[in-house]
Amino acid sequence: MSHVEVGRLTYVLPDGRPLLNDVSFRVGEGVKAALVGPNGAGKTTLMRLIAGDVRPVEGSVASSGGLGVMRQFIGGIRDGRSVHDLLLSVAPDRVRDAARRLEEAELAMMEREDTKTQMRYAQAITDYTDAGGYDIEVLWDTCTIAALGAPYDRVKYREVNTLSGGEQKRLVLEALLRGPDQTLLLDEPDNYLDVPGKLWLEQALRETPKTVLLVSHDRQLLANAADRIVTVESGGVWVHGGGFATYAAARRERNERLDELRRRWDEEHAKLKRLVTMLKQKATYNDGMAPAYHAAQTRLRRFEEEGPPEVAPKDQLISMRLRGGRTGKRAVICERLELSGLMRPFDLEIWYGERVAVLGSNGSGKSHFLRLVAGEDVRHTGVARLGARVVPGHFAQTHARPELRGRTPCEIVMTEHARLKNEAMKALARYELAGAVAERRFETLSGGQQARLQILMLELSGATLLLLDEPTDNLDLASAEALQEGLERFDGTVLAVTHDRWFAASFDRYLVFGADGRVYEAPEPVWDEARVVRER
């Protein structure tokens, strides 16, 4: 049996702000539930509460079947740590404890080899065996072959920081999905995975009998793999028993129902208050009305003690006013362009108003291409130039903007775009970055908040060519929808690198950076380009 149950959970942030209030829900055996909600609503905190990393103010958490956890930043692995350390960080507690004692005994053996130390070492080996340590190493061999293409013994001492983010995620997912724990908490497991990796994850989630609670912003993955949607918003939680396809309609109907219940409650409350006031006035000159007056008072008091129904969560009102402007007919022209060592020479013309998605595997040169078009110094041969009146605006994938560190969103908008403070705050409010968020340093913002700020800066820059490198990676569902709506209204040209299948479906053209170094156009999105090359 495997399950997760949260009962009447309340959590307050260290600064005293309430985050979660009286939260209850259950994920039953074998269910694949997705945790969704706005950036900052408390999804990761809720996962940490279930994992036992932090303690609630009130309430309880229960799970069964053993708990395997993939945290948002997997394993907290420091520099110098190995593949062995990464795999051990997601192993069952009994294996981790036995491995720690074995490592301590091995170090002691290197310093001295007296009888006591040898006995301690022998006992540590026995304990590690009994805990299932050597059995799980056989499992890890399967995992490293699947994720890294090499057996465990060959890669166990390889430093984790030599692996790509996608390789780290795939390795941990292989270990958890194949491991003994029957209940899994996966916080953004799809981040850094390319589309073939996401397709593998979707299939693995559908096929595993384990109970899974995951956090993801990938709309296609949610549609393909989740059969329950658990929404965290306004400090509470509610569960949609269907999949993602019916989620938007279910949320809209729920909010309409809550609004109607609240309207009726307000009407009844006002009616009772009027009745009490009227009876009070009558009781002042007619003693016979006193019992009715006191009865009405009691009824009103009980009505108010029961409290009003739940208030419908406020929708995120993100308004991205990407304006653009008319440019020459040809927005981007490439002639025999080659980025050194990354691709073969290719020609390309992108016309004003087109939406072009740039697809391909990691490391194929897509981000370098965007940086070159944006005007950065990237080694190349051939020509890449912009058409008349084309003003590029670049959204960086990693949000690595050292010039923004130490500055608040309000300061950034005021200094970068010559806005008065009240104008800056109005613009930030449209991106839900006003209030306390506007006064926080850039590096302390969440990934989604940093992404929204970058998009706002593009809007204010007057760019007529948007160069977007994985813009939806850290955006919550509402922000991603707002970006797509903003791009539909944008009077200009869009060139976007993406692994987001839902996002890519709205584009006109697909430019594929092939695994063989060839750059070509395809009529439909090509996600597993390596397979295309093999089959060609």
Side-chain angles (χ1 to χ4, degrees), residues 336-339 341-348 357-361 363-366 369 510-523 526 528-536:
R336 302 297 296 164
L337 176 64
E338 178 184 2
L339 301 189
L342 291 174
M343 66 193 67
R344 302 178 194 175
F346 69 96
D347 298 325
L348 175 69
V358 182
L359 313 178
S361 58
S364 59
K366 305 184 302 297
F369 172 57
Y510 301 97
L511 185 68
V512 183
F513 280 47
D516 59 354
R518 194 168 64 95
V519 178
Y520 63 94
E521 284 203 51
V526 174
D528 193 351
E529 214 287 325
R531 180 177 296 173
V532 172
V533 172
R534 287 195 300 270
E535 293 176 353
R536 188 173 292 134

Side-chain angles (χ1 to χ4, degrees), residues 85-390:
D85 297 323
L86 178 59
L87 289 168
L88 197 59
S89 73
V90 294
D93 290 343
R94 64 181 185 279
V95 175
R96 286 204 301 274
D97 293 341
R100 177 181 50 77
R101 293 194 296 271
L102 179 57
E103 184 178 347
E104 291 170 352
E106 288 173 342
L107 290 173
M109 283 287 291
M110 294 172 64
E111 296 175 0
R112 59 187 182 279
E113 291 193 23
D114 54 41
T115 302
K116 184 178 179 181
T117 304
Q118 290 174 345
M119 291 293 292
R120 179 186 173 193
Y121 179 56
Q123 184 61 50
I125 291 176
T126 301
D127 291 346
Y128 187 63
T129 303
D130 292 344
Y134 292 109
D135 292 335
I136 209 167
E137 287 186 14
V138 174
L139 174 71
W140 289 348
D141 191 65
T142 305
C143 296
T144 57
I145 290 172
L148 307 177
Y152 173 66
D153 283 342
R154 279 178 48 192
V155 298
K156 64 189 292 187
Y157 298 119
R158 183 176 170 183
E159 290 191 7
V160 169
N161 57 15
T162 66
L163 304 179
S164 70
E167 288 174 324
Q168 293 180 37
K169 288 274 186 174
R170 176 69 183 264
L171 183 58
V172 169
L173 286 167
E174 290 278 2
L176 289 172
L177 287 163
R178 296 175 185 271
D181 292 322
Q182 294 303 301
T183 302
L184 303 182
L185 304 179
L186 309 178
D187 196 347
E188 300 195 11
D190 52 295
N191 271 14
Y192 302 110
L193 293 182
D194 57 15
V195 173
K198 291 181 180 185
L199 291 170
W200 164 82
L201 175 59
E202 290 171 3
Q203 182 175 351
L205 290 173
R206 288 194 299 267
E207 293 177 352
T208 184
K210 298 185 178 189
T211 301
V212 180
L213 179 63
L214 65 96
V215 175
S216 177
H217 296 141
D218 188 305
R219 291 165 288 180
Q220 197 65 56
L221 185 143
L222 293 174
N224 293 347
D227 45 35
R228 299 284 188 282
I229 307 294
V230 182
T231 304
V232 185
E233 53 187 350
S234 300
V237 162
W238 65 278
V239 179
H240 172 51
F244 188 69
T246 56
Y247 170 70
R251 182 177 183 274
R252 185 168 57 252
E253 290 169 5
R254 177 180 184 271
N255 288 350
E256 289 172 355
R257 186 170 64 255
L258 290 175
D259 284 337
E260 176 63 16
L261 289 173
R262 182 57 189 248
R263 184 187 65 78
R264 292 180 182 177
W265 190 92
D266 288 339
E267 288 177 353
E268 182 65 17
H269 189 211
K271 179 180 174 182
L272 286 173
K273 288 171 72 176
R274 287 195 302 271
L275 178 63
V276 168
T277 301
M278 181 190 70
L279 292 174
K280 179 181 179 182
Q281 292 172 347
K282 290 187 176 183
T284 58
Y285 57 82
N286 184 350
D287 291 343
M289 298 301 296
Y293 167 55
H294 292 307
Q297 276 187 312
T298 301
R299 184 179 172 191
L300 175 62
R301 186 182 69 254
R302 289 176 178 171
F303 185 84
E304 290 177 337
E305 285 173 353
E306 289 178 3
E310 180 182 348
V311 176
K314 188 182 100 174
D315 284 328
Q316 286 182 271
L317 300 176
I318 299 171
S319 175
M320 299 183 178
R321 299 174 184 171
L322 298 162
R323 293 183 177 83
R326 184 76 197 188
T327 69
K329 288 185 178 180
R330 294 194 300 174
V332 179
I333 305 100
C334 299
E335 298 170 349
R336 302 297 296 164
L337 176 64
E338 178 184 2
L339 301 189
S340 303
L342 291 174
M343 66 193 67
R344 302 178 194 175
F346 69 96
D347 298 325
L348 175 69
E349 287 185 338
I350 299 175
W351 298 82
Y352 161 76
E354 287 190 312
R355 273 60 174 151
V356 181
V358 182
L359 313 178
S361 58
N362 293 331
S364 59
K366 305 184 302 297
S367 295
H368 286 74
F369 172 57
L370 251 61
R371 288 172 49 215
L372 176 65
V373 175
E376 295 186 29
D377 185 15
V378 177
R379 288 180 56 201
H380 70 284
T381 59
V383 174
R385 58 188 174 87
L386 302 178
R389 300 182 300 283
V390 173

Side-chain angles (χ1 to χ4, degrees), residues 44-56:
T44 292
T45 299
L46 185 51
M47 295 286 267
R48 294 182 67 209
L49 285 161
I50 297 170
D53 297 339
V54 293
R55 297 181 64 84

